[in-house]
Amino acid sequence: MAIIKKGNALTTKFLQPGSTYETDGYGLLTAKGIYQLDQSVSGTAITGGQVHPQYSDLFVHKFTIVRRTLEVDEVAVDYVGINSSVGDTTRPNVTASHGLTSEHITTHPNFFGPATGFTTAIAGNGTTFTASTINPDYKVGGVFGAHFKGTVTNAGGFVGFLDSSTSDKQYYYGKNQYLAPTTSFSGCIYTTAVATVTNLRNAVGKTSTTNSFTGAKLLPDHLGTTWTATVKGSVRPTIMLSQVSFEDYCVQPSGTPKIFKVNYEIRFNREGYPAEVYSAV
């Protein structure tokens, strides 16, 4: 017996009940489109990067075909896009990690000082040293028994805390490490701009004095728009782009993606990054 077809031929896409639309608050749009299509067109009616039938900001990322009857397929399509109100790049979605790490005592900002926020330097001012009563070959800086191999005006190599004659000096005796705060930011943006992807790739290992790198905002304004520290009269950037990875979304038949997902990591250094060692964006 021949199949008798009535009604719509289902050769054109029409959104069906159950289709969804979602925004994440950062400018990323996602949608699920459900279509009932004739088997003869279900495999070709949807292509990667194709625009949503109702929302021009959304594009096909991937789709699934399910055979519902002998003649009709159900096509479930995942759309991804960027809200035009935020431009070509979403707002940064960032997670911060704060902790402590062990570092050598000579890297402490108050090792020679006193630094801002401290009243007494750990090892003196860095230019005035006295003879050691423990070893005549060494010099002493500060009031906690820090010994050096240098001269009366220059530290030379740090030997250690060798003096245990007072309770204050005993606290430092034999120690050479301290717990330093460490902060890193992990973030994600989506963009339609190829230049943003290329520029961020080239910015790895570089620093910034603002919450943007090469024009792309990677930290939200509420965390601060200026990222600098003044150390011994020198103004330094305090954030560095330490890692970047990319993922293509909504790839068109030509192989060109419509959208790029960018994951990144930023490292914060409270003392800043010296320009002689780390270049800026």
Side-chain angles (χ1 to χ4, degrees), residues 70-152:
L70 291 177
E71 298 292 327
V72 178
D73 290 340
E74 180 179 276
V75 184
V77 184
D78 290 333
Y79 292 91
V80 178
I82 297 173
N83 195 320
S84 58
S85 65
V86 302
D88 61 15
T89 303
T90 61
R91 302 181 186 96
N93 186 350
V94 175
T95 300
S97 175
H98 307 278
L100 296 173
T101 185
S102 182
E103 292 190 6
H104 199 273
I105 191 65
T106 55
T107 66
H108 195 288
N110 191 47
F111 187 73
F112 291 132
T116 302
F118 298 90
T119 56
T120 305
I122 296 172
N125 60 16
T127 59
T128 304
F129 300 89
T130 59
S132 169
T133 59
I134 296 174
N135 188 323
D137 294 330
Y138 297 154
K139 298 295 185 289
V140 178
V143 296
F144 300 116
H147 280 62
F148 300 87
K149 294 180 179 179
T151 67
V152 294

Side-chain angles (χ1 to χ4, degrees), residues 8-21 30-39 41-56 58-69 71-80:
N8 194 306
L10 299 179
T11 56
T12 304
K13 301 193 304 294
F14 291 98
L15 284 172
Q16 301 296 310
S19 298
T20 61
Y21 176 91
T30 55
K32 174 78 76 174
I34 299 175
Y35 305 97
Q36 299 288 338
L37 291 170
D38 189 86
Q39 179 185 342
V41 300
S42 61
T44 57
I46 309 294
T47 57
Q50 190 178 68
V51 68
H52 192 284
Q54 292 183 352
Y55 305 106
S56 59
L58 285 162
F59 305 95
V60 173
H61 177 48
K62 60 182 180 179
F63 61 91
T64 303
I65 299 175
V66 179
R67 181 64 48 83
R68 290 303 183 190
T69 70
E71 298 292 327
V72 178
D73 290 340
E74 180 179 276
V75 184
V77 184
D78 290 333
Y79 292 91
V80 178

Side-chain angles (χ1 to χ4, degrees), residues 154-217:
N154 197 315
F158 175 64
V159 178
F161 295 96
L162 306 183
D163 194 338
S164 63
S165 60
T166 68
S167 58
D168 286 343
K169 293 176 180 178
Q170 289 170 11
Y171 179 81
Y172 288 88
Y173 181 79
K175 295 183 174 69
N176 58 19
Q177 301 284 321
Y178 81 105
L179 293 176
T182 177
T183 298
S184 63
F185 302 95
S186 298
C188 173
I189 58 173
Y190 291 78
T191 183
T192 59
V194 177
T196 297
V197 176
T198 303
N199 292 338
L200 288 177
R201 178 196 65 194
N202 295 335
V204 173
K206 295 184 178 181
T207 64
S208 178
T209 58
T210 72
N211 57 338
S212 296
F213 284 80
T214 65
K217 183 183 290 188

